[in-house]
Amino acid sequence: MTRDELHEAEAGAPSGGGTGRLEGRVAIVTGAASARGQGAAHARLMVREGASVVLTDVTDEEGERTAALLGERTAYLNHDVTSEDGWAEVVAWTLERHGRIDVLVNNAGIWLARAIDETTLADYRRVVDVNQVGTFLGMRAVVPSMKAAGGGSIVNISSLAGLRGAQVSSAYAASKWAVRGMSRQAAAELAPFRIRVNAIFPGYVDTGMIDAGHEEIAARVPLGHRLASPEEVAEAVAFLASDAAGYITGAELVVDGAVTA
C-alpha cells in the first residue's frame, strides 16, 4: 500500500464504537467524494453513530471508493447540486432504498480565489449556483418527505466568510452569507413541521487542500495555533443531527478555534 493509499484508508474507514445517537437515521451528505474531505468526515462519523448515509458528488471513481471504505451502510450517487432533476433523483433513490430521509447535510461547495474586479459574471454565477442555489434546492427537495415523517434535521455548511468581511473571493463570501440567511429563514418557516435547520461555520480545516502557507494560517488560530481536523467539524454536524439538539434550530455554530471571537 502506498503512502497516499494509507492516508486514504485512514481517512475513509470508520473507527471505534459510537454512542448510537443516530441509530436508524438516514442521511444525505453532498460533496462527500474525497476520503480526506469534510463531507466524508461527516458521513464517517454518522455511520459510526448508527446512520445509513448516501454520499453524493460529481467525482464518481473517488466517491465510490470512499463509500466502499465507509462500509455497507453507505452508498454513493453522482449528483450535481445545481440540478433540480439531480436532487429529485437523489431523494427518490434514497426513499426507495431506505424509506425515509432524516438528515440532510448541505456540504457541497466550491472556492474561487479572485478579486471582485477580476471576477467574471460567469465565475460569480458558478459559485453562487453551487454554494447557494445548491443549498436551496437541497432543502426544498427533502422538505416534503421530512414533513410527511414528522420532522428532520438540515445542516447547512457556511464559512467564516459568511460571518465577516475578509480578503476572500466576493463571490464565495456572497454565497456563504446567503447560506447563513437561508438557514435562519428556513428554520423559522419549517419549525412548525419539526424540521430543524442550522448552519455551521467552520474555520480553517485540514482537509489536505491547505498546503502552501499552512503554518502561517495555523498561526492565526488562537486555540492551539493549529487547523481544525475534519472530524472536529463533523462532531458539530452529528450533534445538530441528533436528538441532543432537538430544541436547537436557527442556530449558527462556529467551529473556528476563536478566530472570530
Side-chain angles (χ1 to χ4, degrees):
M1 178 178 287
T2 68
R3 182 176 180 180
D4 286 346
E5 289 171 337
L6 177 60
H7 286 166
E8 182 179 69
E10 290 172 342
S15 60
T19 63
R21 55 183 158 165
L22 298 177
E23 190 67 38
R25 308 288 172 87
V26 177
I28 297 171
V29 182
T30 66
S34 172
R36 292 189 65 188
Q38 190 62 72
H42 303 328
R44 180 168 57 251
L45 180 55
M46 286 192 285
V47 167
R48 192 163 71 234
E49 294 293 345
S52 297
V53 183
V54 178
L55 289 68
T56 83
D57 214 316
V58 293
T59 51
D60 294 348
E61 184 176 345
E62 190 174 31
E64 289 168 2
R65 186 165 59 242
T66 297
L69 287 168
L70 292 178
E72 62 183 11
R73 281 189 283 110
T74 64
Y76 169 80
L77 299 178
N78 177 277
H79 177 209
D80 175 1
V81 296
T82 70
S83 166
E84 291 183 272
D85 290 342
W87 272 108
E89 290 169 4
V90 167
V91 167
W93 187 95
T94 305
L95 291 174
E96 182 178 352
R97 174 77 172 268
H98 297 287
R100 59 190 296 152
I101 299 170
D102 301 290
V103 180
L104 168 65
V105 183
N106 277 312
N107 173 78
I110 59 174
W111 164 255
L112 176 70
R114 196 162 297 165
I116 190 168
D117 57 337
E118 297 174 350
T119 302
T120 68
L121 182 56
D123 290 335
Y124 185 89
R125 284 177 169 162
R126 175 59 179 161
V127 173
V128 168
D129 276 350
V130 174
N131 298 358
Q132 176 182 342
V133 177
T135 297
F136 159 72
L137 290 175
M139 291 193 292
R140 191 182 70 176
V142 301
V143 161
S145 63
M146 286 186 175
K147 281 184 177 180
S153 174
I154 298 173
V155 182
N156 296 327
I157 307 300
S158 184
S159 164
L160 297 188
L163 291 172
R164 65 178 188 178
Q167 291 181 333
V168 298
S169 160
S170 58
Y172 183 79
S175 70
K176 291 303 185 178
W177 277 88
V179 168
R180 181 184 188 185
M182 288 193 300
S183 299
R184 284 201 162 207
Q185 171 58 32
E189 181 180 336
L190 298 173
F193 305 100
R194 299 183 65 188
I195 300 172
R196 299 182 296 104
V197 185
N198 295 289
I200 290 180
F201 299 78
Y204 305 117
V205 183
D206 185 6
T207 59
M209 296 178 65
I210 301 176
D211 291 318
H214 180 288
E215 293 181 0
E216 179 183 347
I217 293 171
R220 304 174 196 169
V221 181
L223 187 63
H225 300 295
R226 65 176 180 83
L227 304 182
S229 70
E231 290 71 26
E232 288 172 310
V233 181
E235 286 287 353
V237 171
F239 166 68
L240 290 175
S242 74
D243 290 341
Y247 201 65
I248 299 175
T249 190
E252 298 179 348
L253 185 50
V254 182
V255 187
D256 74 345
V259 170
T260 57

